[in-house]
Amino acid sequence: MPLLYDELADWWPLLSRPEDYAEEARFFGDRLREACRGEARTLLELGSGGGNNASHLKERFELTLVDQAPAMLAVSEKLNPECQHRPGDMRSIRLDRKFDLVFIHDAIAYLTSEDELRQAFDTAFLHCRPGGAALFAPDHLRETFESGTESGGHDGDDGRALRYLAWTRDPDPSDSTYTVDYAYLLQDADGAVRTVHDRHLEGLFSRSTWRRQIEAAGFEVRSLQFDHSEVEPGSYEIFVASRPDP
């Protein structure tokens, strides 16, 4: 598990602020509502992480949040105490209930084989009621992947601060993964600064692979361009799926 989701999890809000997710959470929520037949009230988020999307979606839906990283669930529980939190892996968790909506954001990028993708889509299908909808939002598709760097970070109210540089690249185009190397500068409350390197291995699949595996789980699926004021049109794509009525 990457350090960011384990021993560094309490730094997450200084890397990625909840308030920066308002626009994309609204977009995801709108697409889910449009794809759902009938009531759209309950939402299961698989791989919910620190709960940044949930902090906005909870205004519209009754949320159940699942993540396999206990430290990240703790961050989300602090931010979203009114939501249900369940530890579990999106590939295998079974909650014995169905939801109107199922959402998997960029946590799905950590699945690095087609078998793992299919397991996650099976989980989503089993938890989605007939007529309900699901949305999957990978960071990259094979067709649109580009290497690059980004940087950011924030100051906290307790004297702590974080800055990061992220380097995304595909060392071996013949396989189904790419890497994101993070360099964190972490300032503790006493002013001391340390540097940490954290490597994330993520999955990279073609559009046709995504569609094939989503449909194999039982969904009807379509792909959509992600519409966001800070994202270049055509650079980011999501998959919206509906579970057919019996």
Side-chain angles (χ1 to χ4, degrees):
M1 184 175 296
L3 298 175
L4 182 60
Y5 306 141
D6 189 13
E7 61 189 78
L8 298 180
D10 64 338
W11 292 90
W12 170 255
L14 299 183
L15 185 144
S16 186
R17 297 184 304 183
E19 51 265 40
D20 294 338
Y21 285 65
E23 184 178 354
E24 64 181 280
R26 182 169 57 253
F27 176 84
F28 294 141
D30 288 347
R31 302 294 82 75
L32 281 163
R33 276 192 183 277
E34 291 167 0
C36 183
R37 292 187 289 277
E39 183 179 46
R41 180 178 59 85
T42 59
L43 186 152
L44 170 65
E45 183 176 0
L46 298 169
S48 54
N52 287 349
N53 272 301
S55 70
H56 303 283
L57 291 170
K58 67 186 180 184
E59 300 173 2
R60 307 174 63 177
F61 309 109
E62 176 189 309
L63 299 187
T64 298
L65 307 178
V66 171
D67 200 276
Q68 66 175 334
M72 290 297 278
L73 277 181
V75 173
S76 180
E77 286 175 330
K78 184 176 180 181
L79 179 64
N80 304 301
E82 61 273 76
C83 299
Q84 295 185 35
H85 289 79
R86 298 287 300 271
D89 188 320
M90 70 174 71
R91 294 166 294 187
S92 58
I93 191 169
R94 299 293 182 263
L95 297 177
D96 196 29
R97 62 170 291 197
K98 288 184 167 38
F99 298 80
D100 301 317
L101 310 168
V102 180
F103 174 46
I104 310 182
H105 191 221
D106 52 6
I108 203 163
Y110 292 95
L111 305 184
T112 59
S113 72
E114 289 195 43
D115 285 344
E116 289 185 322
L117 281 183
R118 175 61 187 277
Q119 290 165 20
F121 299 145
D122 284 344
T123 298
F125 187 83
L126 287 170
H127 290 89
C128 184
R129 68 161 173 81
L135 190 151
F136 311 108
D139 277 342
H140 296 285
L141 301 182
R142 172 65 70 185
E143 291 88 345
T144 57
F145 178 86
E146 292 185 3
S147 297
T149 60
E150 65 173 288
S151 60
H154 305 283
D155 298 335
D157 297 330
D158 57 358
R160 298 194 311 162
L162 178 149
R163 296 297 184 271
Y164 73 89
L165 173 68
W167 180 19
T168 300
R169 58 199 177 95
D170 184 7
D172 183 0
S174 68
D175 68 13
S176 62
T177 65
Y178 66 97
T179 61
V180 186
D181 283 288
Y182 285 87
Y184 310 121
L185 286 171
L186 308 175
Q187 176 183 287
D188 292 311
D190 62 4
V193 177
R194 56 195 168 101
T195 304
V196 178
H197 170 241
D198 190 17
R199 172 163 291 181
H200 297 224
L201 182 68
E202 306 186 17
L204 187 59
F205 305 97
S206 67
R207 182 181 297 107
S208 62
T209 295
W210 280 88
R211 293 182 61 92
R212 183 176 68 254
Q213 294 297 346
I214 295 170
E215 290 173 345
F219 287 111
E220 298 171 351
V221 62
R222 60 194 177 103
S223 57
L224 294 175
Q225 296 298 317
F226 180 55
D227 183 11
H228 191 285
S229 62
E230 297 181 1
V231 175
E232 181 180 351
S235 62
Y236 186 61
E237 198 166 320
I238 65 169
F239 297 88
V240 179
S242 299
R243 175 166 175 167
D245 290 315

